[in-house]
Amino acid sequence: MAAPTSAGPSGDAPLTAQQLLALHPYPDAWASEKRIERLWVFDVKGTPEALWPHIADTSRMNRALGTAEMRFEERDGKRWGTARNGGVRHEWIEVPWNWVANQWLTCLRIYERGFMRVMFAIHRLEPIPTGTRVYLYFGAVPRGAFGAVALRLGFPSLERAYRRVVPALAEQLDRLRPDVLMLPPPRLPEPAEQRLRHQREILVGEGLPVACIDALVGWLRTGDDQDLHRIQIRERARVWGLPEQDLLRTALHATRAGLLTLSWDTVCPHCRGVRDENATLAELAAQSRCDACQVTFSTDTQESVEVTFRVHRSVRDVPDQVYCSAEPAKKDHIRVQRTVAPGAQVAIHPGLAPGRYIMWRDRDGGWYLDVGDGGAQAVAWAAHPQGTTITASPDATIELVNDTADAGTFRIEQARWSDHALRAGHLLSFQEFRDLFSEDYIGADVRLGVGEQTLLFTDVVGSTAFYATRGDPAAFVEIKKHFDEVFAIVGNNRGAVVKTIGDAVMASFVNPIDAVRASRQIHDAFHPKRTDTPIRLRISLNTGPCIAVRLNANADFFGGTVNVAAKLQALAEGYQIAMSEATYQSAGVAGYLAEQGATLERLSYTSKALPEPVAVRQWTVYREGA
């Protein structure tokens, strides 16, 4: 076994392999088997929290180390991996990993073919005064004498690779992605370069922001393959410091230009991994299957679908290469995953950041752990009903108690989903998408969850008399002109027109404040002193969860939120906005109305079809004749 480094500046000697294995025991079934072990210890700069995302991303780490590409598939509820090392095919069962984020991870592989019968790995991070002490342990049970020789010959090259990568990684933590983990950008063939240059000029000519075009085109040319396989536009906007809406517009136009492709990805609600990638909205199915979690789930929840982009193959062929299952990195929302033997209990100190978490033992649990000041110093697992809330302090001890006859896997998950994801609701409430991809439609049996939306309905006041006095042809001309103005205002306020219903408009917004601003601007556009059109409007708003469905070949919104938004028209007259209390109470709305000097009247909408009245705020933007 390779000797550990000397004691660090803390004065504490590094753990020996035996001490490390006392903390993370070798699996019982193979603990008595003769094995070949290596332990490497590094004292490096940076905190464990800063190092963890890179150390835990073992796929990218293994690529930097020069290990072979791996392939994984789910078979009979187990994850099987294959790779070719030393000219020999290896095949193994990937046992679910254990980890506590920012502290340690363990990985167990049970081999059916190859040099080994078993490989057990430990990565552990400990804070020291000058940074972090990193432990890397590998213990393999060889398959015969040939396997033992191969392992002994292979470990020295792996150690050299780690001694090259880990210190360099620690020196580059101030970068978004340490250079040592990146591959040099490929040299694109000249046809691909010509396509990039040509399409860039077209995008510039369409009036799209040059900064967004250049950031996107430059990244397609030089970005890392593992970053380009699933491009998350909201994440890129934050990294590049660009307006999210502008970059999304640019990406959609780049898709139409053939630089990108669009993908509607179904996401498992448990492991949050991508299960199906669909090139069009029409290909999205009503249900998807996660073999790893053994669950079938529908696409009617907000988080079930993410929209990502890919590089078009005419520009660059980006393979989906994997160098490790990298469970902790791919399941970053799971801060703790720990298998506990039957009848046993384990104490952990995960050091959870303040916030809400969900506790699970296999499929049981689903209760909340709210971490913050004043919470309990110790929390033990118990079979609380789903939705129960237990408080804990950030430094609390968590007792994982397995009182069953089978091994159980405990998970502590962040309750909040990634805010980098572009959800279906974002895109279907984005006018540029509806304009550019008007031919894309939702499957007839799909009920696509789009999360919370704010629905805006306009209605022409006195339309019956208007048609009677003008006649249908002349009235249609006026209605069409008014549509053009309303559509523009909706689009300028980050909304999308869902449909028109006679002379009415239905629009949707992701952010309620945008809908309120648009409503004010619509009334401003058709103010009382305007003489070139007789059009005057009333507006209603409501905020709440919706689903998207296929209606008349278009993506329409459906549900109680939409129904109430339409019904609130009854509480508005010309130049008025009737908004539900849900809209009024949304972030930023009350402040905006106060800035506008709005005087609001409290009303209530009642209906036999509703379980209780809907509280309404009525805003009279202009008074007739004012």
Side-chain angles (χ1 to χ4, degrees):
M1 180 183 302
T5 62
S6 59
S10 66
D12 295 331
L15 298 172
T16 64
Q18 290 74 20
Q19 291 170 326
L20 190 64
L21 287 169
L23 296 172
H24 310 283
Y26 206 94
D28 288 343
W30 298 276
S32 61
E33 301 275 355
K34 185 176 181 180
R35 57 183 182 263
I36 298 172
E37 299 177 298
R38 294 293 184 271
L39 172 64
W40 306 307
V41 185
F42 302 87
D43 287 353
V44 296
K45 297 179 181 178
T47 64
E49 291 77 15
L51 284 161
W52 173 261
H54 307 295
I55 296 293
D57 189 356
T58 49
S59 180
R60 201 181 294 265
M61 278 286 293
N62 284 354
R63 187 185 67 172
L65 294 167
T67 61
E69 182 182 352
M70 302 178 185
R71 298 187 182 278
F72 292 94
E73 63 176 318
E74 308 295 335
R75 301 202 308 255
D76 301 323
K78 296 180 180 179
R79 193 167 204 209
W80 288 81
T82 57
R84 182 166 291 276
N85 291 306
V88 174
R89 177 182 171 84
H90 292 66
E91 184 172 351
W92 66 91
I93 298 172
E94 187 91 347
V95 177
W97 294 24
N98 289 293
W99 70 86
V100 174
N102 302 326
Q103 297 182 23
W104 58 265
L105 65 84
T106 63
C107 166
L108 173 65
R109 289 175 177 160
I110 304 171
Y111 284 78
E112 297 292 316
R113 297 180 60 181
F115 297 144
M116 297 164 280
R117 292 169 55 208
V118 176
M119 169 66 81
F120 181 61
I122 306 168
H123 292 16
R124 184 179 176 91
L125 307 180
E126 291 183 347
I128 58 175
T130 57
T132 300
R133 180 163 291 161
V134 180
Y135 295 88
L136 302 171
Y137 166 88
F138 297 90
V141 176
R143 187 181 300 279
F146 178 75
V149 171
L151 288 168
R152 289 192 173 93
L153 291 176
F155 271 132
S157 61
L158 182 61
E159 179 182 4
R160 288 192 296 271
Y162 269 119
R163 295 199 179 281
R164 172 180 57 84
V165 170
V166 173
L169 165 64
E171 293 290 339
Q172 298 169 358
L173 291 176
D174 58 336
R175 307 174 194 182
L176 179 66
R177 190 80 72 193
D179 291 345
V180 70
L181 300 182
M182 306 285 283
L183 291 182
R187 182 178 180 83
L188 298 184
E190 185 55 29
E193 285 286 359
Q194 289 177 357
R195 185 175 182 81
L196 281 174
R197 291 192 294 267
H198 176 67
Q199 296 299 340
R200 178 194 178 278
E201 294 306 313
I202 290 177
L203 295 175
V204 170
E206 291 176 348
L208 295 162
V210 174
C212 293
I213 297 170
D214 286 343
L216 187 59
V217 170
W219 205 51
L220 299 185
R221 180 181 287 116
T222 64
D224 189 280
D225 281 354
Q226 293 209 4
D227 292 321
L228 289 174
H229 179 66
R230 293 183 76 240
I231 301 172
Q232 294 185 307
I233 286 298
R234 301 185 74 196
E235 182 263 349
R236 285 292 97 194
R238 296 178 190 185
V239 170
W240 293 335
L242 296 170
E244 183 180 300
Q245 300 289 310
D246 286 349
L247 188 60
L248 179 55
R249 287 180 58 227
T250 303
L252 291 171
H253 281 268
T255 300
R256 272 303 191 199
L259 296 182
L260 298 173
T261 60
L262 200 58
S263 182
W264 300 78
D265 305 335
T266 59
V267 179
C268 174
H270 295 281
C271 67
R272 302 190 188 179
V274 174
R275 294 304 145 208
D276 295 305
E277 299 178 0
N278 305 282
T280 66
L281 180 57
E283 295 176 23
L284 191 65
Q287 291 187 323
S288 186
R289 173 75 180 171
C290 179
D291 290 331
C293 297
Q294 294 287 288
V295 295
T296 298
F297 59 95
S298 64
T299 55
D300 60 359
T301 61
Q302 177 182 358
E303 293 84 10
S304 59
V305 176
E306 292 182 8
V307 185
T308 55
F309 294 83
R310 311 282 191 273
V311 184
H312 197 283
R313 288 190 173 182
S314 64
V315 175
R316 182 171 163 185
D317 189 12
V318 178
D320 183 16
Q321 292 181 309
V322 176
Y323 295 84
C324 187
S325 65
E327 276 198 71
K330 293 179 180 178
K331 301 176 182 177
D332 185 58
H333 66 291
I334 300 178
R335 306 311 288 166
V336 174
Q337 179 164 294
R338 183 74 159 81
T339 299
V340 179
Q345 66 182 52
V346 173
I348 58 172
H349 302 84
L352 298 171
R356 169 160 284 194
Y357 300 82
I358 307 177
M359 297 283 293
W360 295 95
R361 183 185 63 194
D362 298 318
R363 300 289 170 78
D364 298 328
W367 48 272
Y368 295 119
L369 186 69
D370 280 359
V371 176
D373 294 337
Q377 291 296 315
V379 174
W381 166 267
H384 297 297
Q386 283 199 20
T388 301
T389 299
I390 305 295
T391 63
S393 67
D395 59 348
T397 299
I398 310 295
E399 291 278 353
L400 306 179
V401 181
N402 185 7
D403 53 5
T404 71
D406 300 308
T409 299
F410 292 81
R411 302 190 311 277
I412 304 178
E413 303 178 359
Q414 289 177 326
R416 179 177 57 83
W417 283 67
S418 169
D419 59 358
H420 289 319
L422 181 66
R423 305 288 180 197
H426 289 116
L427 217 50
L428 293 178
S429 287
F430 192 59
Q431 191 63 54
E432 209 96 7
F433 170 76
R434 286 184 175 265
D435 291 342
L436 290 172
F437 297 86
S438 58
E439 77 284 359
D440 212 350
Y441 59 88
I442 300 174
D445 63 337
V446 173
R447 307 293 180 262
L448 180 60
V450 294
E452 185 178 274
Q453 301 284 326
T454 296
L455 283 305
L456 178 155
F457 281 84
T458 69
D459 184 43
V460 174
V461 177
S463 58
T464 302
F466 172 62
Y467 293 131
T469 57
R470 290 295 184 103
D472 289 345
F476 174 76
V477 172
E478 289 294 341
I479 293 298
K480 178 64 171 63
K481 288 180 180 178
H482 125 271
F483 278 158
D484 292 342
E485 293 188 55
V486 172
F487 289 6
I489 292 170
V490 169
N492 290 338
N493 284 278
R494 305 191 298 181
V497 173
V498 178
K499 63 182 177 182
T500 59
I501 313 154
D503 54 33
V505 173
M506 172 184 168
S508 63
F509 299 79
V510 173
N511 294 315
I513 185 65
D514 293 332
V516 177
R517 287 196 182 101
S519 300
R520 171 62 194 257
Q521 291 173 23
I522 289 170
H523 280 321
D524 288 345
F526 297 94
H527 58 83
K529 295 182 179 179
R530 182 170 175 177
T531 60
D532 63 327
T533 178
I535 297 291
R536 300 295 184 262
L537 300 170
R538 62 171 137 244
I539 298 173
S540 59
L541 300 169
N542 187 32
T543 301
C546 302
I547 61 172
V549 298
R550 181 181 179 182
L551 186 63
N552 298 326
N554 294 318
D556 197 358
F557 287 169
F558 181 82
T561 300
V562 180
N563 185 51
V564 170
K567 296 297 185 184
L568 294 187
Q569 293 264 299
L571 298 183
E573 297 297 337
Y575 302 114
Q576 289 184 334
I577 302 168
M579 71 182 75
S580 68
E581 190 72 11
T583 300
Y584 176 76
Q585 294 294 342
S586 298
V589 171
Y592 170 76
L593 293 171
E595 291 173 3
Q596 299 298 307
T599 300
L600 304 178
E601 183 177 352
R602 290 176 179 266
L603 301 174
S604 179
Y605 176 79
T606 59
S607 170
K608 294 180 179 179
L610 298 176
E612 58 186 23
V614 178
V616 175
R617 306 281 181 131
Q618 184 195 74
W619 178 18
T620 302
V621 179
Y622 291 102
R623 298 193 181 276
E624 196 70 46

